[in-house]
Amino acid sequence: MMQEETVLHRWFDEVWNNKRESAIDELLAADSIHHGLGGPEGQVMRGTADFKQFHRAFLAAFPDLEVTVEDVVSDGRKFVARCTVRGTHTGEGLPIAPTGRRIEFTGIGMCIYEDGKFVEVWNEYDFMKMYSQLGVLSLNLE
Amino acid sequence: MRELNEAIFYRWIEEVWNQGKEETVDELLADQAIVDYPYHIEKKLIHGRDEYKNFLRVIRGLFFNINIKIEQIVADDRKVIAFCSVTADRRRVEKNGGPVNIPAKTSGLCQMIIEDGKIMQAWCNIDIFGKSELKTSGVSG
């Protein structure tokens, strides 16, 4: 496994599964750019401070959050992880009150890793499914 | 091999999704292919060409002027993943009124496993409704 792929696993293990906020500073560039996490307007999130705010809110909503890395792909400069996210909505942190419901959804993140830190990340997680599982949205195309 | 896999991905997006050519599905998708595409609240996998073509018709019936552009792509000898931007018009029938076309803009990441020139498995994370559905539902996180 390439060093960068190991770092990708470390990111999900330490930042999300072990919920260690200090790992964000260790792995994320201070001026990093995050696409796909900034809410329905699609705003770009910048830097570790913005990411930490998102991290705290999401873990507050899902204190038992667990991310499983299903696959990693790399071309030497860009790295991609396909993940499954699981948790229970027992806390504040989302725009809706805790529902006690279980969530399970998938997502893919593509990142550029330079000089030992992630500098730009594109995220596409299935938040539509998450909100559907929480009972906020009804999705049915059939 | 990496370049060939990238070329298949580009062709799939352009011909299948931007142009709606079902014959390209027959050409590039393995008949035993499995596609995981989050379009239903329940987890439903798409199996094979016929189910995929049916799915394509459903989506192209809901959205018009679909234009998918590959912004970033990563490939190795077996897997391809691309980050894409998507624009389309969504047709919605208003209460007490006729259909209206609503421009939608979103993005997505798709992964394919390609063997011998055929797509064997794919995972796509694209918000096909665009972010506007969340906004109108009062969800802003």
Side-chain angles (χ1 to χ4, degrees), chain A residues 114-127:
Chain A
E114 289 176 357
D115 299 327
K117 299 216 171 176
F118 297 114
V119 296
E120 188 161 9
V121 185
W122 292 266
N123 296 283
E124 289 294 342
Y125 283 80
D126 192 2
F127 292 118

Side-chain angles (χ1 to χ4, degrees), chain B residues 91-103:
Chain B
R91 181 158 294 176
R92 177 185 287 171
V93 178
E94 299 290 321
K95 288 179 182 174
N96 304 319
V100 293
N101 284 345
I102 301 167

